Amino acid sequence: MLQVRNALQNQLGFSEPADALHETDLSGEIAAFRKLIREEKYFFHPLEDRVHVSLDRKKMDHELVNMNTLAITNKDKYGQEIRRANSYVTVKLQPVFVTKEEREKFCKIENKTKDEIETEILSVLLVSLERVDDGMAEQYREYYHTNVKRKRKQIYIDFYYEVLSATDEAVAMQMNVDEQN
């Protein structure tokens, strides 16, 4: 059978010269990688939280270890939307970040659309402020509707930082009051 196979390969021009098969020696790269692993002491305290870095020393995103769970969640969410709509749909999925730098760039308020900034202001910041100081939250909400809504993106961004600052100050004051009591 082997002779028939070799004869067929020769006729079709598939035969390979004996020196065509070779193995690349990766022992140097493997040793260097093992050295990096030992230097980082990854296996000395495996359950300890640590900042993971890539081979070029970029800080890795802290949620990267949960990538499998996130991928399954995204897949299920996409599948549910397709079954619900019975056609192609655009679904906003949670992104996976490899480096910390990628997450910071994505989360930066300046890189978001006006609608996303508006959602952030109304759903997150004003709700947080409402829990601490309801009167101040109402003032900011009125200011938003009269002076910010339907304006330029930069006005949204400035208002976002103003509400964020007010929320931080209100929370700090509330913590001081709680500590004194």
Side-chain angles (χ1 to χ4, degrees), residues 32-42 44 57:
F33 184 73
R34 287 179 176 167
K35 181 182 175 202
L36 281 174
I37 295 291
R38 282 192 295 276
E39 285 174 354
E40 295 294 328
K41 298 181 182 175
Y42 271 83
F44 287 114
R57 301 291 189 219

Side-chain angles (χ1 to χ4, degrees), residues 101-150:
E101 185 179 285
E102 288 174 357
R103 177 179 292 277
E104 290 169 355
K105 184 178 178 183
F106 179 82
C107 292
K108 206 171 188 185
I109 198 74
E110 288 82 359
N111 295 337
K112 296 187 178 195
T113 65
K114 280 173 50 174
D115 290 338
E116 290 171 329
I117 297 170
E118 179 180 29
T119 302
E120 190 86 20
I121 290 169
L122 296 177
S123 67
V124 178
L125 296 177
L126 289 179
V127 169
S128 299
L129 190 57
E130 234 171 45
R131 290 185 189 143
V132 181
D133 189 347
D134 193 35
M136 187 183 291
E138 192 56 40
Q139 287 176 349
Y140 275 109
R141 193 170 275 112
E142 287 174 19
Y143 182 82
Y144 169 77
H145 287 293
T146 57
N147 299 325
V148 177
K149 196 168 186 171
R150 296 188 184 103

Side-chain angles (χ1 to χ4, degrees), residues 45-163:
H45 305 287
L47 300 177
E48 177 183 291
D49 271 343
R50 65 170 57 89
V51 176
H52 296 285
V53 294
S54 65
L55 292 177
D56 57 352
R57 301 291 189 219
K58 286 185 181 177
K59 290 185 179 177
M60 305 300 277
D61 186 60
H62 63 280
E63 288 295 318
L64 190 60
V65 294
N66 301 323
M67 188 181 76
N68 278 351
T69 308
L70 182 60
I72 291 169
T73 304
N74 281 344
K75 180 183 137 213
D76 291 345
K77 184 177 179 182
Y78 186 75
Q80 289 171 356
E81 287 298 316
I82 285 186
R83 282 190 295 276
R84 187 183 61 75
N86 288 330
S87 66
Y88 175 77
V89 292
T90 303
V91 181
K92 188 160 180 124
L93 302 173
Q94 188 175 353
V96 176
F97 303 104
V98 176
T99 63
K100 198 172 184 179
E101 185 179 285
E102 288 174 357
R103 177 179 292 277
E104 290 169 355
K105 184 178 178 183
F106 179 82
C107 292
K108 206 171 188 185
I109 198 74
E110 288 82 359
N111 295 337
K112 296 187 178 195
T113 65
K114 280 173 50 174
D115 290 338
E116 290 171 329
I117 297 170
E118 179 180 29
T119 302
E120 190 86 20
I121 290 169
L122 296 177
S123 67
V124 178
L125 296 177
L126 289 179
V127 169
S128 299
L129 190 57
E130 234 171 45
R131 290 185 189 143
V132 181
D133 189 347
D134 193 35
M136 187 183 291
E138 192 56 40
Q139 287 176 349
Y140 275 109
R141 193 170 275 112
E142 287 174 19
Y143 182 82
Y144 169 77
H145 287 293
T146 57
N147 299 325
V148 177
K149 196 168 186 171
R150 296 188 184 103
K151 301 284 192 220
R152 291 185 347 256
K153 182 178 175 180
Q154 188 58 46
I155 293 172
Y156 275 79
I157 293 170
D158 294 342
F159 184 69
Y160 170 84
Y161 284 122
E162 185 177 330
V163 173

